[in-house]
């Protein structure tokens, strides 16, 4: 590897992804989408300025781990315990309805396959990609309307967090079954063992960190050791338990999320993420996306994937909200609020690509879903809230 | 490359280097020294936990660029213009006396060689390593005694900055001559052309950044584009002008150092540096250090290198200060304040290793110089200042 070429590649990736990211934001699309498109443009598909390399793969891998560690860190366990049952039920429906719909969608396009076959798990994986809600855009939209902290807003936020946890568990199990010859019992044992280890290690590590945090608050050692924990758990998960590395990183984040300094760690992580590792990760997705396999089937599949992805969340979460006693309109708000997809869907897809459960051609579908759901959610939410306001005004008049 | 092994390696490097860094600080040695020793311990020489890889080389390379970009960013051009002639003269002597002494030291050990031969440039390179003062430890010591902003303190700080600039120019020229068949005229033309380009590009880029900075102060795009500029200039310097990449990164820092947001960029850079890239860089120096070639000659050389390195700065800077009218004691303070070496000496040594002007066995000498000079400077300064105080007290009594 030529060391100067590393520098040129990074310079090109940083400039292209910042430029396309800002452009995407101007078009009300998420910046992430812009960064992926930047990767497409500078990659082998178009300009050919950047070729995938060991170095870039490594940096992108670190990027994913940092993103998932950050997601875990932002979990608010106290809030989670309070909102409790209702949010959990909504989240469950919000995971399983899209999971099943996604699986059926794949089978509708590529044929029904026997339960347990490799093709079956490929179908389930399409469903798995649909499970993870990315609530940041919804949160921003609700914040702008001053509705983030009311009952519907809190329900959406809590459900989204629980949704993440359940989604990670689903992913872990599906990845465990990836090998058609895999022993069902062994996979379950491994997965359970990993979570047991995570809890035991979590309790010990949390106490050590708490001691350090009390004695040396806001010192560099805290985020550095936190990051080392994320790398270590990610490694252990994949190497010894056959659990996805991103699960390990996410668990590391949850272990540390109740520390006084968790926000401090999170901020340092965030700076590392958005400066180098994040852009390289999202760009590298664009680098890998190939258009050679683009055909009518995959285009139709992508459109269906977007529609199914969005509707299954609205229906799954909304129906459960209605059952739990929310009004029709509030149920619709909750469903729409949960339908945005973002980074996590991409990370899941990337993980699937790595273990051979997803083909590169499906990335187009995932990217489309992220762009369309992110752009449409704020618009739909604004409509739902403003009509209610209009209605209230009519009654008052 | 196995992607999970990347994670394990990073976890080990982060934990080991933080641990050894803190231990070093407890022993009043610089953290950097601890991080290098961490690399030694976990590397092939001892535990063998980490092997050098393309990924680590790339991350270390980015680390160097970030460090040098940061050094450039912290330059205070206005201050520099004010202190002017005196500091420049002190800095010049502080560069050229060690440069000559280092060259002679190498020749004393390994034989005199004809001017222009490869062996001659190897000798000059030993001198080049001795040129760069690392003033951060001196600054800290002066700050603790409340003497940072008095005339002697300001002179030391300004001389150290100018010392960096001259040191970089010396390095650039020496690297240019590395090839014994290189055309002297061509090297000089290339070097001059690079600095001309840097000035022209600098003026344009600075204006663009100033525009962005006024319209979007404190936004992520500023440090990201700044970092891209550093990578880009580093690449262009090495690839098209045969100038060391670290020179390019340093120049990028100087271009942006007068921006309103230069501190903002510097802080973001710093976080990226100390979280991942810095530890990997310093550890990787330890990884590369080999003890197979350790013998009596190299040990004697290392000791002589440390003595010559420290004395040549004291004599060079001190003598010029005396000539310029400083008192004997103040001249001694200035000389002692300038004798610490740090990251930059390592970065220069690393660059020499890359282009074949330095053998790995000399790293021991450089590391020893950094540790001993960093530990002794604060002690010597304290002695020099306290004796004066005692003297003043005696007079007052």
């Amino acid at each position: 590897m030529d060391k100067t070429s590393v520098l040129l590649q990074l310079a090109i990736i940083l400039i292209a992804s910042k430029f396309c990211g800002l452009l995407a934001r101007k078009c009300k699309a998420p910046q992430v989408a812009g960064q992926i498109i930047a990767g497409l443009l500078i990659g082998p598909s178009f300009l050919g300025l950047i070729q995938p390399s060991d170095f870039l793969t490594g940096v992108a891998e670190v990027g994913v781990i940092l993103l998932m560690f950050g997601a875990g860190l932002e979990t608010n366990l106290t809030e989670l315990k309070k909102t409790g049952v209702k949010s959990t039920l909504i989240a469950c429906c919000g995971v399983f309805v899209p999971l099943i719909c996604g699986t059926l969608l794949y089978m509708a396009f590529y044929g029904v396959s026997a339960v347990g076959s490799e093709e079956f798990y490929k179908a389930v994986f399409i469903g798995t990609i649909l499970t993870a809600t990315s609530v940041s855009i919804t949160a921003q939209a609700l914040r702008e309307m001053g509705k983030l902290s009311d009952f519907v807003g809190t329900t959406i936020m809590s459900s989204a967090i629980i949704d993440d946890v359940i989604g990670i568990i689903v992913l872990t199990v599906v990845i465990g079954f990836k090998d058609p010859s895999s022993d069902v019992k062994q996979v379950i044992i491994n997965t359970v063992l990993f979570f047991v280890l995570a809890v035991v290690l979590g309790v010990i590590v949390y106490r050590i960190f708490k001691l350090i945090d009390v004695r040396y608050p806001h010192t560099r050692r805290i985020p550095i050791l936190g990051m080392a924990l994320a790398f270590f758990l990610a490694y252990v998960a994949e190497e010894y338990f056959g659990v996805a590395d991103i699960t390990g990183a996410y668990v590391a984040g949850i272990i540390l999320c109740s520390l006084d300094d968790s926000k401090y760690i999170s901020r340092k992580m965030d700076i590392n993420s958005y400066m180098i590792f994040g852009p390289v990760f999202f760009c590298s997705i664009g680098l890998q996306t190939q258009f050679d396999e683009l055909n009518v089937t995959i285009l139709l599949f992508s459109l269906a994937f977007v529609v199914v992805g969005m509707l299954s969340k609205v229906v799954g979460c909304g129906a459960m909200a209605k059952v739990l006693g929310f009004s029709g309109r509030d149920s619709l708000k909750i469903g729409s609020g949960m339908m945005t997809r973002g980074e996590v869907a991409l990370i899941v897809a990337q993980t699937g690509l790595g273990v051979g459960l997803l083909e590169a051609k499906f990335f187009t579908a995932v990217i489309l879903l992220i762009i369309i759901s992110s752009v449409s959610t704020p618009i739909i939410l604004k409509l739902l809230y403003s009509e209610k306001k209009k209605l209230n005004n009519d009654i008052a008049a």
Side-chain angles (χ1 to χ4, degrees), chain A:
Chain A
M1 186 197 55
D2 181 12
K3 69 167 186 153
T4 49
S5 76
V6 163
L7 301 177
L8 183 65
Q9 287 183 358
L10 283 178
I12 293 174
I13 289 177
L14 289 179
I15 292 173
S17 63
K18 196 67 223 170
F19 184 76
C20 293
L22 290 175
L23 215 66
R25 209 173 60 180
K26 278 243 183 256
C27 311
K28 307 274 176 211
Q31 289 211 42
V32 168
Q35 298 185 339
I36 299 168
I37 292 168
L40 268 177
L41 289 177
I42 60 180
S45 302
F46 286 97
L47 298 176
L49 296 174
I50 308 280
Q51 303 295 333
S53 70
D54 266 12
F55 172 73
L56 289 181
T57 311
V59 174
E61 175 66 16
V62 173
V64 182
I65 298 299
L66 292 186
L67 285 168
M68 291 305 289
F69 178 50
L73 268 179
E74 279 169 25
T75 312
N76 187 335
L77 284 184
T78 340
E79 190 68 21
L80 217 69
K81 281 177 204 150
K82 258 191 283 175
T83 47
V85 188
K86 280 194 179 179
S87 298
T88 309
L89 288 174
I90 293 174
C92 277
C93 270
V95 166
F96 289 106
V97 175
L99 177 65
I100 294 165
C101 291
T103 309
L104 294 177
L105 175 72
Y106 183 90
M107 289 182 173
F109 270 79
Y110 297 97
V112 179
S113 42
V115 174
S117 67
E118 203 186 329
E119 199 56 20
F120 174 76
Y121 285 113
K122 281 191 179 174
V124 175
F125 200 82
I126 293 291
T128 309
I129 298 174
L130 289 181
T131 59
T133 285
S134 171
V135 86
S136 58
I137 286 167
T138 301
Q140 188 55 32
L142 290 176
R143 197 176 289 124
E144 280 170 17
M145 295 186 289
K147 300 289 183 191
L148 187 60
S149 314
D150 69 6
F151 193 58
V152 171
T154 313
T155 308
I156 294 178
M157 296 310 292
S158 312
S159 304
I161 296 166
I162 301 170
D163 170 291
D164 268 2
V165 179
I166 304 173
I168 278 284
I169 296 174
V170 169
L171 173 73
T172 306
V173 174
V174 174
I175 293 273
F177 283 120
K178 67 171 185 259
D179 188 359
S181 67
S182 66
D183 180 0
V184 178
K185 225 169 58 191
Q186 199 52 48
V187 169
I188 295 174
I189 291 177
N190 277 349
T191 309
V192 171
L193 273 182
F194 173 73
F195 282 104
V196 170
L197 171 91
V199 170
V200 174
L201 199 77
V203 171
I204 301 170
V205 167
Y206 178 73
R207 290 193 178 194
I208 297 174
F209 268 83
K210 199 149 179 85
L211 277 177
I212 302 178
D213 201 11
V214 169
R215 277 192 71 169
Y216 313 99
H218 281 56
T219 48
R220 291 178 179 186
R221 66 197 76 178
I222 296 167
I224 292 177
L225 292 178
M227 194 158 66
L229 176 71
F231 290 141
F232 181 72
L233 263 187
Y235 169 78
V236 168
E238 183 135 338
E239 192 71 14
Y240 296 105
F241 296 90
V243 167
D245 51 3
I246 54 172
T247 307
Y250 186 73
V251 167
I254 290 187
I255 291 177
L256 300 183
C257 76
S258 309
L259 278 185
D260 287 343
D261 257 349
S262 72
K263 283 229 166 58
Y264 177 75
I265 306 177
S266 175
R267 216 164 39 235
K268 303 289 170 200
M269 257 350 98
D270 193 40
I271 292 172
N272 274 281
S273 268
Y274 76 70
M275 291 286 289
I276 298 192
F277 295 102
V280 171
F281 169 63
F282 293 117
C283 258
S284 77
I285 287 174
L287 289 183
Q288 288 162 10
T289 309
Q290 285 151 6
F291 287 114
D292 330 344
E293 300 184 58
L294 211 63
N295 53 36
V296 180
T297 317
I298 193 72
L299 273 181
L300 282 177
F301 176 84
S302 299
L303 289 177
F305 182 80
V306 172
V307 174
V308 169
M310 288 168 65
L311 283 184
S312 61
K313 274 278 179 192
V314 178
V315 171
C317 298
M320 182 47 88
K322 189 88 185 76
V323 169
L324 291 171
F326 284 89
S327 74
R329 180 172 297 272
D330 282 351
S331 303
L332 211 55
K333 283 180 199 163
I334 292 174
S336 316
M338 297 282 288
M339 84 184 177
T340 357
R341 306 306 203 289
E343 290 92 304
V344 182
L346 271 181
I347 294 172
V348 170
Q350 184 72 14
T351 308
L353 188 72
V355 300
L357 275 175
L358 187 81
E359 289 168 58
K361 62 180 177 185
F362 291 115
F363 266 85
T364 325
V366 181
I367 295 168
L368 267 184
L369 174 62
I370 292 173
I371 297 177
I372 295 176
S373 68
S374 307
V375 173
S376 56
T377 302
I379 299 171
I380 294 173
L381 281 177
K382 232 170 255 179
L383 278 175
L384 283 171
Y385 275 97
S386 67
E387 274 183 34
K388 190 178 179 185
K389 211 189 277 168
K390 209 182 129 209
L391 206 72
N392 285 346
N393 287 348
D394 287 352
I395 295 169

